[in-house]
Amino acid sequence: MTVADYGAQALVVWSLKRSFPGAPFSLVGEEDSDDLLSSPQGLIMLEKVTHFVNETLAASYPGTAPLTTDDVVDLIDYGVSDGGPVGRYWVLDPIDGTRGFVGMRQYAVCLGLLDNGEVVVGALGAPNLPQWSISEVDCAEGQSGRSFVEDGVGSMFAAEIGKGTYTGPLFESGLPMQRVFCNDTLPPAKARYMESFEVKHSNHKLSLAVAGKIGIELPSLKLDSQAKYGALARGDASIFMRFPPASYREKIWDHAAGAIVITEAGACITDTEGNPLDFSQGRFFPPLNGKNGGVIAATPSMHKAIMQALSELPDEMKMFDGSMH
Ligand code: AMP
Ligand code: MG
């Protein structure tokens, strides 16, 4: 984990508690303070986290009293909730796609709200995602170190159940958000699919086979993080396929915000067998019990075509342990 993962979790918690004073507060967050408190290196990192958190607070909320390292630990450790089927929980991935963040590719701050196991609100902030449609160059390593303001990089997405998905620039506040919809008008030959940048996170051979079967001709866009969900919601691409290794258990914070951002934009999301994603069973998706898991997020017509293609592909092709490349 980086200083940014811890710092973002502390800042999001600080900000939520400030926005909803006195409200019951429960958060399923990716980070906790164990590693920060258990070694001398951890304590040095905690000092750095506290420094950057205070720097950010001073810039955004002048006059705020600086936080101590203990305050920052307390904020991070609000994320220990186990979630579950009853009640309201924030779900936070403070930096989804940490590898993308370090590699200057895509990453996203992802916040969802679960109400009795259902995602009812979601927000994604993707600092390196351009405000125009993504192109291959924006996904490539080291291509994102451009000026955010001059180049229009940095997108945010927000969705509320039944109210649609909206997008706007991340770094220029005050501009109106625009409602967006996924683009289900493209024939397969013109449609794009997305997948993880990291080859260990998803079976790229299987996604290529599915794409070929449904008539997709363009190469995949490889992006880290839930930035993929934002890109799907605004029509940059039509499909996101994720086929993780069989032993991998998905965590709810890796999909909660992204899932509502695309469904409120008219797209569909299920596992690879067509079942709805289940956010109600704690910090992880439920055990697979022989199912294939994974995530298929796509426009309605593409989702249907992918389900059909997957049902026709042999099981051997679906086996993946994260190292078959
Ligand atoms: P993506 O960039 O779409 O692959 O998603 C990034 C997320 O993948 C991270 O936040 C991790 O939680 C998750 N992840 C980590 N290791 C693995 C793995 N071996 N297989 C699948 N996903 C993983
Ligand atoms: Mg993540």
Side-chain angles (χ1 to χ4, degrees):
M1 288 306 147
T2 69
V3 169
D5 294 76
Y6 293 113
Q9 180 149 324
L11 284 166
V12 172
V13 171
W14 185 91
S15 172
L16 285 172
K17 291 192 72 68
R18 179 177 182 272
S19 300
F20 303 104
F25 186 82
S26 197
L27 182 108
V28 183
E30 180 169 25
E31 311 304 339
D32 62 50
S33 67
D34 289 357
D35 289 347
L36 293 176
L37 298 179
S38 60
S39 70
Q41 294 91 326
L43 290 172
I44 292 170
M45 197 168 188
L46 175 59
E47 293 285 350
K48 284 191 192 159
V49 173
T50 306
H51 169 79
F52 284 116
V53 165
N54 281 326
E55 201 174 75
T56 308
L57 289 177
S60 303
Y61 303 95
T64 306
L67 304 180
T68 63
T69 50
D70 285 350
D71 295 333
V72 169
V73 165
D74 288 347
L75 288 171
I76 293 169
D77 285 340
Y78 271 107
V80 295
S81 169
D82 284 328
V86 179
R88 281 198 152 196
Y89 307 93
W90 295 103
V91 181
L92 175 68
D93 193 339
I95 304 249
D96 184 32
T98 304
R99 283 166 184 272
F101 171 69
V102 173
M104 293 177 72
R105 301 186 309 258
Q106 295 302 322
Y107 64 100
V109 177
C110 309
L111 180 68
L113 180 65
L114 283 187
D115 186 31
N116 291 334
E118 184 184 21
V119 190
V120 292
V121 170
L124 300 176
N128 279 343
L129 191 69
Q131 288 157 32
W132 60 91
S133 180
I134 46 168
S135 62
E136 304 240 32
V137 74
D138 296 308
C139 312
E141 197 127 12
Q143 287 291 326
S144 52
R146 294 170 298 176
S147 156
F148 293 133
V149 176
E150 282 168 30
D151 294 327
V153 176
S155 302
M156 78 159 294
F157 302 86
E160 183 180 346
I161 196 153
K163 301 216 169 130
T165 295
Y166 290 78
T167 191
L170 185 61
F171 295 101
E172 292 129 86
S173 54
L175 293 179
M177 305 269 284
Q178 281 182 347
R179 188 157 186 193
V180 281
F181 297 92
C182 67
N183 181 0
D184 204 14
T185 65
L186 296 176
K190 293 206 168 141
R192 301 212 69 140
Y193 74 101
M194 298 177 287
E195 58 191 344
S196 293
F197 183 92
E198 298 289 335
V199 291
K200 288 185 177 164
H201 289 188
S202 188
N203 184 343
H204 288 186
K205 281 187 189 158
L206 179 55
S207 39
L208 187 64
V210 172
K213 223 169 154 39
I214 67 175
I216 295 217
E217 294 174 6
L218 295 169
S220 69
L221 284 173
K222 295 184 170 65
L223 275 77
D224 306 275
S225 85
Q226 290 172 65
K228 292 187 279 293
Y229 287 113
L232 173 58
R234 70 182 186 191
D236 294 9
S238 309
I239 296 164
F240 161 34
M241 287 186 262
R242 178 172 171 89
F243 303 111
S247 60
Y248 186 74
R249 283 277 299 281
E250 295 281 4
K251 296 135 189 166
I252 60 170
W253 53 77
D254 277 330
H255 303 283
I260 189 165
V261 161
I262 65 142
T263 53
E264 284 297 319
C268 305
I269 184 165
T270 65
D271 68 12
T272 54
E273 294 176 356
N275 306 301
L277 302 187
D278 186 351
F279 293 95
S280 75
Q281 296 302 306
R283 294 171 73 85
F284 294 87
F285 285 173
L288 291 176
N289 293 330
K291 292 192 302 171
N292 283 321
V295 175
I296 303 297
T299 64
S301 69
M302 293 291 169
H303 191 273
K304 201 168 160 211
I306 292 169
M307 286 301 137
Q308 182 63 33
L310 275 170
S311 72
E312 290 167 11
L313 284 167
D315 284 344
E316 305 85 77
M317 201 176 260
K318 297 172 189 163
M319 283 188 263
F320 179 59
D321 67 5
S323 61
M324 289 145 66
H325 289 273

